[in-house]
Each structure stands twice: as structure tokens, then as C-alpha cells.
Amino acid sequence: MPGTRKRSILVAVALLSWSINSYADRLLDIDTYLAMKDVSQITLSPDGQFLAYHLSHYDLGKDASTGSVWMKPAAAGAPLRMTSLSSEAESPQWSPDNRYLAVLSNRENGKTQVWLFD
């Protein structure tokens, strides 16, 4: 498990570095700042196989910050969006048995509640 923990930390650092480095060659003007995405709330699955995280950005159309929950294999692989485009989501948490990913989301009736992904 210690090797898995190290690998997961490296993947988390890589995600954050990618976010920062993708804007390194641009001047920091208002358009660049508003186009930036923020990775936060990174959580490792109990078996060490997956990372779930909150990805937020500023939506000019809504004139507000918007966020969603994503999941990515810890070793390598493409990220997968876990939550709907039409709702806000945050705070990913794994169940102790590794079977469910819980998130807070305001889908359906607009009230924030816990949603489970199998």
C-alpha cells in the first residue's frame, strides 16, 4: 500500500502541475485567468486504483464559477466526468468498501444532496 500511496500523490501533483503548466506560456490577463481550471478535493479510492477530484472553472455564460466531479485511474488513463453538465457537484468521497463514490450535487430539484455512483 505505501507504493500505491506514493503513486497517487505523484498523480495528484501531476494533475495540479498540468493545470498550472498549461497556462505557463501565456500572459496572465483576464481572459487567461477566467479560462483557468482549478483541481481540488482530490481523494484516493480505498484500493488505491482511482482518484476522484473536483474540477471548477468560471463559466462566462452563467457569470459564475461552476464545478463537477471527475474520476481518473491512479496509474494512467483518461479522466471521466462523473457528474452532469447541468448541475453543480463537489466533495467526492469513497465508501470504505470501495464500491461507491459519493458526491454533493444539486441535480434534479436544485437542492444539494448526496448522490452515490456505483
Side-chain angles (χ1 to χ4, degrees):
M1 190 63 137
T4 303
R5 182 72 63 190
K6 277 185 187 177
R7 183 177 28 169
S8 300
I9 290 171
L10 289 174
V11 170
V13 168
L15 277 172
L16 293 172
S17 299
W18 170 80
S19 181
I20 292 167
N21 288 333
S22 63
Y23 297 98
D25 61 340
R26 298 167 70 180
L27 291 175
L28 187 59
D29 58 10
I30 190 67
D31 293 326
T32 302
Y33 175 74
L34 292 175
M36 292 176 78
K37 295 181 179 179
D38 180 42
V39 175
S40 62
Q41 303 172 357
I42 301 168
T43 181
L44 178 66
S45 64
D47 67 0
Q49 298 296 310
F50 293 95
L51 290 168
Y53 57 94
H54 178 254
L55 181 69
S56 63
H57 71 282
Y58 193 79
D59 186 333
L60 288 173
K62 292 181 181 177
D63 193 24
S65 182
T66 183
S68 56
V69 172
W70 291 71
M71 186 173 75
K72 179 184 182 331
L80 173 65
R81 184 185 188 115
M82 298 301 294
T83 56
S84 167
L85 286 170
S86 62
S87 63
E88 295 292 314
E90 62 183 349
S91 303
Q93 294 293 318
W94 296 96
S95 64
D97 65 358
N98 205 65
R99 184 168 176 190
Y100 298 102
L101 177 65
V103 301
L104 294 177
S105 181
N106 66 355
R107 46 194 297 202
E108 306 246 343
N109 61 6
K111 288 179 147 181
T112 300
Q113 55 189 338
V114 177
W115 291 85
L116 295 178
F117 295 96
D118 193 3

